[in-house]
Amino acid sequence: LIDTVGGPNLALGIVAASVVLSLAVAGWQARTRRYACPACAHEFGVTLVRNLVSQNWFGRLHTQCPACGEKAWCDVAPDGQD
């Protein structure tokens, strides 16, 4: 495959595929996940942009609650994922 496509082209293709896959996963999470604010228990969804720019580790999202304005690690709501 490297002889056919070339090393740099293969590497570029892998990077492009990774970016597309990452955007697809972030879009799916933005559409299906709801988060719960630890301060006020408000459940909310996030946009694709917020999902991409906020720190997102192990199902927790570090973001600002739209209801109370608290910036905290918000967990996925109990019924927040399809």
Side-chain angles (χ1 to χ4, degrees), residues 1-2 40 42 50 55 61 67 69-70 80:
L1 186 62
I2 292 176
C40 69
H42 175 71
R50 185 183 283 186
Q55 290 178 337
L61 187 72
E70 181 77 22

Side-chain angles (χ1 to χ4, degrees), residues 2-23:
I2 292 176
D3 291 335
T4 307
V5 178
N9 289 337
L10 182 60
L12 184 60
I14 290 171
V15 169
S18 298
V19 169
V20 169
L21 182 62
S22 296
L23 287 172

Side-chain angles (χ1 to χ4, degrees), residues 35-48:
Y35 294 91
C37 175
C40 69
H42 175 71
E43 290 186 15
F44 59 95
V46 296
T47 64
L48 172 64

